[in-house]
Amino acid sequence: QVQLVESGGGLVHPGGSLTLSCAASRNIFSIVAMAWYRQAPGKQRELVAIANERGTTNYADSVKGRFTISRDNTKNTVYLQMSSLKPEATAVYYCYVKGIECYSGSYNPDDYWGQGTQVTVSS
């Protein structure tokens, strides 16, 4: 099955930095987009950053200038570099991949989600 393996979450003080990574299993190809979402307690899941197949990136206004999303297409991996972290960044961060599973017979990309990794920004 398709797997998205996330890592890099943890506890960090305000102003600190973390880098999240998400490695998609090799049975996913024709990846249209890779992204990071987050969901804070009591809030809806929101898009943090996304990188599409053209290399174009987009960010939530709240993280522009502080977060950077990047892709390594040879490794089916997406990263999220986070700096100047604020307490409001505390959330479960979810990796998202839109792509096609090998041997599925599908001609259209599907949505895949990681398990989520906790990021806590606290003094």
Side-chain angles (χ1 to χ4, degrees):
Q1 73 278 11
V2 172
Q3 289 184 305
L4 305 182
V5 181
E6 301 163 324
S7 62
L11 176 65
V12 63
H13 293 299
S17 300
L18 283 175
T19 297
L20 307 181
S21 64
C22 173
S25 55
R26 301 296 293 182
N27 61 336
I28 310 173
F29 75 105
S30 295
I31 294 175
V32 176
M34 304 186 82
W36 290 95
Y37 286 74
R38 68 185 179 189
Q39 187 167 19
K43 294 186 176 181
Q44 293 182 322
R45 186 175 298 185
E46 65 174 347
L47 177 65
V48 177
I50 187 167
N52 65 26
E53 72 278 11
R54 298 171 296 173
T56 302
T57 59
N58 290 287
Y59 299 89
D61 288 340
S62 60
V63 307
K64 287 181 179 178
R66 300 184 298 110
F67 289 17
T68 301
I69 188 170
S70 60
R71 293 175 58 171
D72 185 342
N73 293 329
T74 65
K75 298 179 179 179
N76 271 18
T77 299
V78 62
Y79 304 91
L80 184 67
Q81 297 173 256
M82 305 183 292
S83 62
S84 301
L85 283 164
K86 303 175 181 179
E88 51 263 42
T90 296
V92 177
Y93 284 70
Y94 296 92
C95 180
Y96 165 85
V97 173
K98 189 176 184 69
I100 299 174
E101 183 180 5
C102 293
Y103 312 115
S104 70
S106 175
Y107 293 100
N108 300 112
D110 294 319
D111 301 321
Y112 302 98
W113 294 91
Q115 290 286 104
T117 183
Q118 178 71 47
V119 172
T120 302
V121 184
S122 179
S123 299

